[in-house]
């Protein structure tokens, strides 16, 4: 019951985020907002994540998981309800910032709770289901956004209603708290401790944020340079997410059986190979779709696998700090990915897939190096 409610809440959160990104982009474009400014507006969500992160760990330990989920859900529901009532660029910017704050509170609490009560033998599968729930919701989000063609307010109100349904279900969850940390420890000390114990795992959310944001923002530019049409781009791009959805649970199960580090390293190398293979297919719609689907199979679950691996490496008292770092590093990767990948495309069109492959190879090398260190020890 507890795991089912938490995954349902995360799926609804994914739905609202997947709806909000394309819907606000289209509405702002209709209002005459330039594309560059539109992109900066989208970053407000990630800024909200980074801004609230330093203040979440102590309330979670003091008050428990459920109050933080309820508070985060309340912020999201209120923000979604207010969007249709205003058409101001700056009010929407503030509401988007608040969505980032509320969503991160919700995800931080649910993510930490699942890592806390999941036994190691089932941790990979459970976190894969967690990632799968968010991915399915995020993928369905644009379908909800399409209702704006009937009435501009409908997507916002329906997302708020679904979020309220999940919010009510949270009251059925037990009152639990994470293991308290030592009173003498500081937030900075706990973050440093979490990084020291689990830095190879923490590189994975950073890499996934870079990868996901770069694909959705910069791959269309790469395709346009290859003289591909908008219809081809719209057809190809969802294949990465589809590959991640299809293979999310199998990879988690494999990591439970054969070891997190081995499976993640193989997945990173296979994913980088798929992106490099995309260089050989040119402007082939089928070829690029196949390469992105295969890359999604291997790298679409990096975030959930990274959380599972981080949980393996950390003592329970540092789990809140580790989960905070995961969210912050994912947001950081999402913010720096598009400008860096865009610069690569400006340098040379084919450099896009080279840059993405390099970002995947770096944590693969670090994981391999850590294996050798542990063997020597």
């Amino acid at each position: 019951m507890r795991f089912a409610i938490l995954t349902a809440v995360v799926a609804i959160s994914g739905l609202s985020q997947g709806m909000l990104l394309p819907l606000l982009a289209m509405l702002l474009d209709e209002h005459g907002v330039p594309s560059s400014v539109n992109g900066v507006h989208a970053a407000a969500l990630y800024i909200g994540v980074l801004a609230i992160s330093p203040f979440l760990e102590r309330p979670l330990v003091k008050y428990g998981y459920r109050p933080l989920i309820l508070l985060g859900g309340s912020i999201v529901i209120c923000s979604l309800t207010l969007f249709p009532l205003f058409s101001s660029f700056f009010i929407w910017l503030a509401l988007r910032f608040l969505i980032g704050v509320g969503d991160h509170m919700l995800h931080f609490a649910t993510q930490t709770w699942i890592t806390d009560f999941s036994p190691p033998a089932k941790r990979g599968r459970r976190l894969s289901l967690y990632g799968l729930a968010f991915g399915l919701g995020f993928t369905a989000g644009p379908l909800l956004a399409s209702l704006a063609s009937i009435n501009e307010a409908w997507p916002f109100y329906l997302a708020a209603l679904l979020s309220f349904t999940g919010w009510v279900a949270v009251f059925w969850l037990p009152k639990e708290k994470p293991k308290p940390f030592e009173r003498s420890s500081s937030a900075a000390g706990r973050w440093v401790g979490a990084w020291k114990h689990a830095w190879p795992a923490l590189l994975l959310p950073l890499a996934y944020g870079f990868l996901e944001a770069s694909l959705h923002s910069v791959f269309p530019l790469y395709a346009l340079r290859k003289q591909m049409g908008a219809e081809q781009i719209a057809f190809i791009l969802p294949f990465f997410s589809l590959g991640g959805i299809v293979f999310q649970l199998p990879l988690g199960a494999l990591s439970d059986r054969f070891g997190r580090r081995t499976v993640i390293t193989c997945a990173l190398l296979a994913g980088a190979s798929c992106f490099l293979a995309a260089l050989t297919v040119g402007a082939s719609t089928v070829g690029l779709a196949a390469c992105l689907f295969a890359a999604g199979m291997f790298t679409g679950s990096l975030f959930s696998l990274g959380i599972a691996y981080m949980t393996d490496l950390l003592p329970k008292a540092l789990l809140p700090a580790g989960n905070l770092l995961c969210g912050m590093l994912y947001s950081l990767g999402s913010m720096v990915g598009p400008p860096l990948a865009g610069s690569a495309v400006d340098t040379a069109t084919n450099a896009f897939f080279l840059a993405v492959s390099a970002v995947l190879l770096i944590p693969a090398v670090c994981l391999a190096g850590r294996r050798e260190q542990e063997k020597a020890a």
Side-chain angles (χ1 to χ4, degrees), residues 320-362:
N323 279 283
L324 268 182
L325 286 174
C326 281
M328 293 172 69
L329 289 168
Y330 169 79
S331 297
L332 184 62
S334 299
M335 292 175 69
V336 304
L340 291 179
S343 300
V345 172
D346 288 338
T347 303
T349 303
N350 288 336
F352 170 69
F353 285 124
L354 293 174
V356 171
S357 299
V359 168
L360 295 176
L361 288 173
I362 290 171

Side-chain angles (χ1 to χ4, degrees), residues 90-146:
F90 292 104
I91 292 178
W92 281 6
L93 186 71
L95 291 175
R96 197 172 221 167
F97 175 88
L98 289 174
I99 291 280
V101 170
D103 263 332
H104 188 51
M105 293 173 72
L106 185 152
H107 282 284
F108 169 58
T110 55
Q111 187 177 294
T112 307
W113 203 352
I114 292 172
T115 57
D116 193 9
F117 70 70
S118 296
K122 296 182 179 179
R123 189 172 291 148
R125 277 168 286 184
R126 284 190 174 176
L127 285 168
S128 293
L129 284 170
Y130 170 90
L132 180 62
F134 181 83
L136 288 172
F138 193 87
T139 303
L143 298 176
L144 190 60
S146 66

Side-chain angles (χ1 to χ4, degrees), residues 45-358:
L45 187 143
Y46 301 114
I47 295 171
V49 171
L50 292 174
I52 194 62
S53 291
F55 308 102
L56 293 182
E57 192 181 3
R58 285 192 178 276
L60 181 73
V61 173
K62 184 176 181 179
Y63 301 109
Y65 300 107
R66 197 175 75 172
L68 208 63
I69 295 172
L70 291 171
L71 179 58
S74 301
I75 294 171
V76 171
I77 293 166
C78 293
S79 300
L80 287 170
T81 306
L82 291 173
F83 269 107
L85 304 180
F86 304 94
S87 58
S88 165
F89 175 90
F90 292 104
I91 292 178
W92 281 6
L93 186 71
L95 291 175
R96 197 172 221 167
F97 175 88
L98 289 174
I99 291 280
V101 170
D103 263 332
H104 188 51
M105 293 173 72
L106 185 152
H107 282 284
F108 169 58
T110 55
Q111 187 177 294
T112 307
W113 203 352
I114 292 172
T115 57
D116 193 9
F117 70 70
S118 296
K122 296 182 179 179
R123 189 172 291 148
R125 277 168 286 184
R126 284 190 174 176
L127 285 168
S128 293
L129 284 170
Y130 170 90
L132 180 62
F134 181 83
L136 288 172
F138 193 87
T139 303
L143 298 176
L144 190 60
S146 66
L147 294 177
S149 59
I150 303 173
N151 187 306
E152 197 173 282
W154 279 16
F156 295 107
Y157 289 144
L158 284 174
L161 179 61
L162 289 170
S163 298
F164 180 74
T165 304
W167 185 82
V168 170
V170 173
F171 284 97
W172 271 264
L173 294 173
K175 295 180 180 179
E176 294 184 7
K177 298 179 181 180
K179 184 178 179 180
F181 41 71
E182 297 178 7
R183 291 185 178 274
S184 59
S185 66
S186 64
R190 290 189 297 274
W191 291 7
V192 170
W195 176 262
K196 183 179 178 181
H197 282 87
W199 65 267
L202 294 171
L203 290 178
L204 300 174
L206 177 69
Y208 183 71
F210 183 103
L211 173 62
E212 185 183 51
S214 298
L215 278 176
H216 286 91
S217 301
V218 183
F219 173 77
L221 303 178
Y222 167 87
L224 290 172
R225 298 279 180 91
K226 292 289 187 178
Q227 308 302 315
M228 301 178 72
E231 297 81 6
Q232 291 172 287
I233 297 171
F235 173 79
I236 294 168
L237 201 51
F239 274 87
F240 176 80
S241 299
L242 184 61
I245 290 171
V246 168
F247 219 58
Q248 182 98 218
L249 187 56
L251 267 183
L254 286 171
S255 73
D256 287 334
R257 182 171 181 181
F258 297 108
R260 221 81 66 195
R261 187 176 51 200
T262 301
V263 171
I264 292 171
T265 304
C266 293
L268 287 166
L269 294 173
S273 300
C274 293
F275 283 119
L276 290 174
L279 292 171
T280 66
V281 301
S284 167
T285 302
V286 174
L288 284 172
C291 288
L292 288 190
F293 180 80
M297 287 173 59
F298 295 112
T299 63
S301 54
L302 281 182
F303 185 80
S304 58
L305 284 175
I307 295 172
Y309 186 33
M310 173 209 69
T311 308
D312 294 342
L313 298 175
L314 288 182
K316 282 204 169 184
L318 290 178
L319 277 182
N323 279 283
L324 268 182
L325 286 174
C326 281
M328 293 172 69
L329 289 168
Y330 169 79
S331 297
L332 184 62
S334 299
M335 292 175 69
V336 304
L340 291 179
S343 300
V345 172
D346 288 338
T347 303
T349 303
N350 288 336
F352 170 69
F353 285 124
L354 293 174
V356 171
S357 299

